[in-house]
Structure formats: C-alpha cells, structure tokens
Amino acid sequence: MKILFIGARLFDDVDFYLKENNIESVLTESNPNSPNLDCADFKFIVPRGMDAPLKIAKEKSVKGIIPLIGIDDPLMDVAIAKQKVEKDLNIPFIASNTFSISITSDKIKTKEFFNEFCIDTAKFQVISSEPDKLINIDNSNISNISSFDNIDFEYPVVLKQRSGQGGRDIFIAENSSEANDYMNYHDEVLCEEFIEGSEISIEVLGFKGEYLPLVPVYKGETTFEGIHPLNKVRSAPAEIEGLNNEMVRNIAYNIAKSLKSEGTIDIDFIFSKKDKKLYALEVNSRPSGTRYLTAAASGIHPLTKLIDMVQGNFDIKTVENEIKDYFALEIPIMNYSGPKKEDPQKKFTKNSWVVHGPKNYERITISGESKEKTLELARYLLGNKLDDFNLDKS
C-alpha cells in the first residue's frame, strides 16, 4: 500500500509504524529545510496549498491521504481538499470536514457551539467596535460598548482573537484599563471569564461516525502569566481531586459526535477549583500537542491510527480494548543528555520514553506501568535534574 502524507514536520511520529507494516510513503512539503524529508520513500517539495499534493496523489496512485499539519491556518483548505479527493479519487482522506473546521477554527463560533449543545463553557462576551459586521453570533453575546467598564462578569478576564493557537494574542486583563489597552490593538475581542483551576486536554479518534475519547491529560494550573502548557510538567491520566475522568471522556465523545469530526481532534477544558465544574474551552481539529502523553498513558499512538483508518483496519471496539492503564509524565528539559533508546525513537514500549521537540526546547515523555514505575524511570533518565520539578512529592 502507498499513502500520501501532507507535511513533514510530524512525519517521524508515524515513520516507525509505516516501516513495521511495509507501507510505502509519499511525502509532500512546502519547506525544503523541513525535518524528516529523508524518512519517506518518495518526497516532493511543492508550493503551499493542496493543488500539488492532490496532483501527486493521483500520479502516484496512492490509496489514501493523511495531512500531518499541526497549525490551524491551512485546515479549511485541507477540509475542502478532502471533499474533492473522496468524491473524485474515491480514496480516504483522513481529516475533519468543512462543517467541523468552520466551527473549531473560530473561537467565537466554538463558544456558540458549546452553548447550542448545552456544554458548560466559561462566560463570554464579544466586544466589537463594529458589531453590525459580526456574523453567525448570538446577539445576546454582543456588547456594543466602547470600553470594558460594563462587562457582565468580574475581572480578571481572558482576552482572545477569533483565530490563533499556542497562546497567540491571548491576554489576561486584571482590570478594565488593561482590557481597554488590549482593545486599542484589535477591532474585535472575545472576552472570557477567567477560571482558576486545572487545564485538561483529551484526544478523540473519529472515523465513519464512530468516536473514541482516549485519556484525559493534565496540563497544569491556570496562571495569570499565561504559561504555555509545553513549558509545564504534564501528566496522564489526569489526577485531580473531584474530577471524574469518565465524565471528561463522555463530554468529549458528545462534542466530537456533534462536530462530526474525523481523524484526531483535541479538546481543551478547565476544571474549576471554585465550583468543581468542567468547562470546555476550545477544540483543535489537528494533531495534538498532547499526543505523546496520550500514547504513553494509553498505549494508543493517535497518528498511527490514522494509517489504520486509511487501510480499513480501524475498529473502535478493538482500539478501545487495546487501551492500557499506564501513567505518563512529560517534562521540559531543554536538551536531553541521558541514556539512549534501543527501540525506534518515537515509539513507546512497556516502561519507556520518547524525547521530542526541537533542539534547546526538548521534552521527554515517560511511560510506566504505574506512577511509581514512571517516577523511578524519570530518576534514572534525568538524575538530579529531576529535583528541579519536585516530582517525587507528587
């Protein structure tokens, strides 16, 4: 079998699985300096967009297409390409559809989606200098005001733009003066109640109308500094007092089903410290930044399951029965200098680890049969450096 992959940056996450299953890979990438280009059987440097990859897919007679795109901007183009490929070439294209992307790529529409399906989400208002230009927004959430002095909830508040990822354009304002300063640089603002609590993510696999939530991942506590989760110690499954992980999975299932998502999506929540409620924040319809923790804690590598979908070997019940009950830690380490792996670099086996991320920003994800085993392995791998993270106290 021959599969086309769009995007090289994440390709090493699936390369070991392709080789194990004797699957030929065709890789397209717009950046000639991207990592992992030499891993594929066939590689093509192409212009940005979907035209060239689809042309190559036809020329190479591939049996399916998997976009490995970790950023939001191209996702609607990918969804449109999915429609075309599945209609014209009659091969699977594993990605979410235009309906799903139209909601998840717009933070305001995502909030409206949560409200429509009665999913708890942080209180919000849309503040705009030109509210008449806003479309597809419930008017009850539009405030035609020139300042933040009269918002309907207390400070601090979280200020966001419709689109963006990785904390881009997100600001926590502790008073109206700070909020109005933010408004000086933006015509429209999503103003959201700040919830003090625990940040959680969960990945959901979806294929042919069936959905499987994997393991809730704990990403640390909310802070006024807005520290990105990649710079925190993270763990899975989430161990938070008062939080029922099966409830998280059930809500994630309902969100994915209502969105009619396909492939892999990632849903972000906050579990409130004050009222012990779970609030949905946003949905990312692309490979998740928690995928290593998901794999380490559950034994399920989300991106390799996309390959199973293309091959027709994906069955929800089978995958659910394969889920392990391991404990995983992910630690930001800058540059790893510990023991080397004998197994493939991006594959988890029993009581193992994976180092990932760019040089000077590396992270290590450790998988153990129990929390004690994971901490023991972390001490072996990191030595005295582990003391900086106070993990032995957890």
Side-chain angles (χ1 to χ4, degrees):
M1 172 175 274
K2 192 182 295 179
I3 300 175
L4 172 71
F5 295 86
I6 303 174
R9 189 174 65 85
L10 307 183
F11 185 74
D12 57 339
D13 284 1
V14 299
D15 184 48
F16 75 89
Y17 193 73
L18 296 168
K19 288 180 168 54
E20 287 177 354
N21 290 275
N22 298 314
I23 298 171
E24 281 191 295
S25 55
V26 180
L27 180 61
T28 65
E29 171 59 55
S30 61
N31 177 9
N33 298 315
S34 178
N36 306 319
L37 286 169
D38 293 333
C39 296
D41 296 304
F42 304 93
K43 63 180 179 182
F44 297 89
I45 302 301
V46 298
R48 292 183 183 274
M50 293 294 111
D51 289 346
L54 298 194
K55 181 180 178 181
I56 291 168
K58 192 171 183 179
E59 291 173 352
K60 286 292 184 181
S61 300
V62 302
K63 299 303 181 183
I65 300 175
I66 299 174
L68 295 177
I69 296 173
I71 56 176
D72 291 341
D73 293 344
L75 294 183
M76 183 55 77
D77 289 340
V78 169
I80 294 170
K82 170 186 173 68
Q83 288 182 331
K84 180 177 177 61
V85 164
E86 294 184 340
K87 178 183 177 181
D88 296 346
L89 301 184
N90 196 30
I91 60 173
F93 189 117
I94 308 301
S96 284
N97 56 38
T98 55
F99 169 75
S100 179
I101 299 301
S102 68
I103 294 171
T104 60
S105 63
D106 185 320
K107 289 182 175 62
I108 297 175
K109 289 185 180 180
T110 303
K111 299 288 282 188
E112 292 293 336
F113 165 82
F114 291 148
N115 280 348
E116 179 183 353
F117 286 91
C118 300
I119 297 165
D120 288 326
T121 189
K123 296 176 184 177
F124 72 100
Q125 288 182 282
V126 178
I127 315 298
S128 175
S129 58
E130 299 179 276
D132 292 341
K133 292 185 178 181
L134 291 173
I135 58 173
N136 297 327
I137 302 296
D138 181 348
N139 287 333
S140 67
N141 290 315
I142 297 176
S143 299
N144 183 16
I145 58 176
S146 59
S147 77
F148 286 78
D149 295 334
N150 298 314
I151 60 173
D152 293 339
F153 36 91
E154 297 180 355
Y155 287 92
V157 296
V158 182
L159 308 179
K160 302 177 179 179
Q161 294 297 289
R162 279 182 180 264
S163 61
Q165 67 187 85
R168 187 175 71 193
D169 291 325
I170 293 179
F171 179 71
I172 299 174
E174 298 190 53
N175 51 58
S176 60
S177 176
E178 291 182 355
N180 286 323
D181 285 344
Y182 180 91
M183 193 71 180
N184 289 333
Y185 299 94
H186 304 281
D187 294 330
E188 176 187 288
V189 176
L190 171 59
C191 178
E192 193 176 71
E193 171 188 33
F194 176 84
I195 297 175
E196 183 181 4
S198 304
E199 299 180 27
I200 301 159
S201 282
I202 183 169
E203 293 181 69
V204 184
L205 298 174
F207 189 57
K208 294 186 176 180
E210 295 188 302
Y211 302 94
L212 178 63
L214 295 172
V215 56
V217 172
Y218 171 66
K219 302 196 298 185
E221 301 299 294
T222 55
T223 64
F224 286 169
E225 292 79 16
I227 299 172
H228 193 280
L230 293 183
N231 296 321
K232 299 179 181 179
V233 175
R234 307 188 292 182
S235 61
E239 294 184 334
I240 301 167
E241 184 179 354
L243 177 67
N244 184 321
N245 280 342
E246 282 306 304
M247 178 191 69
V248 179
R249 296 183 74 234
N250 289 337
I251 295 173
Y253 172 88
N254 290 330
I255 290 173
K257 183 178 180 180
S258 300
L259 284 171
K260 302 175 184 176
S261 64
E262 184 169 290
T264 179
I265 67 169
D266 166 69
I267 307 172
D268 292 336
F269 296 93
I270 287 183
F271 185 66
S272 170
K273 183 177 180 180
K274 179 179 179 181
D275 59 17
K276 301 299 183 182
K277 286 180 64 176
L278 188 69
Y279 294 92
L281 293 183
E282 60 183 56
V283 183
N284 303 300
S285 298
R286 50 176 167 76
S288 171
T290 64
R291 62 191 181 276
Y292 293 102
L293 275 160
T294 297
S298 69
I300 306 298
H301 294 248
L303 297 190
T304 67
K305 294 306 171 186
L306 308 184
I307 298 169
D308 292 345
M309 293 175 190
V310 166
Q311 295 184 96
N313 294 335
F314 183 83
D315 176 74
I316 287 285
K317 292 297 183 184
T318 301
V319 178
E320 188 167 21
N321 290 335
E322 292 172 349
I323 294 177
K324 308 296 184 185
D325 186 20
Y326 293 157
F327 185 82
L329 277 175
E330 187 168 291
I331 304 170
I333 53 173
M334 297 183 66
N335 290 298
Y336 179 69
S337 58
K340 303 300 182 183
K341 283 190 69 175
E342 295 181 3
D343 300 312
Q345 291 300 305
K346 294 300 179 73
K347 178 181 179 180
F348 287 100
T349 54
K350 183 182 291 187
N351 300 319
S352 64
W353 70 94
V354 167
V355 177
H356 50 101
K359 187 177 180 181
N360 297 324
Y361 296 94
E362 287 182 333
R363 299 182 299 282
I364 185 169
T365 304
I366 304 168
S367 172
E369 295 173 274
S370 64
K371 186 174 184 179
E372 291 72 25
K373 185 65 178 180
T374 302
L375 291 170
E376 177 186 327
L377 189 53
R379 174 66 66 186
Y380 164 71
L381 295 169
L382 300 179
N384 292 333
K385 289 183 180 179
L386 196 65
D387 296 335
D388 297 337
F389 302 100
N390 295 318
L391 297 183
D392 289 331
K393 297 179 182 179
S394 63

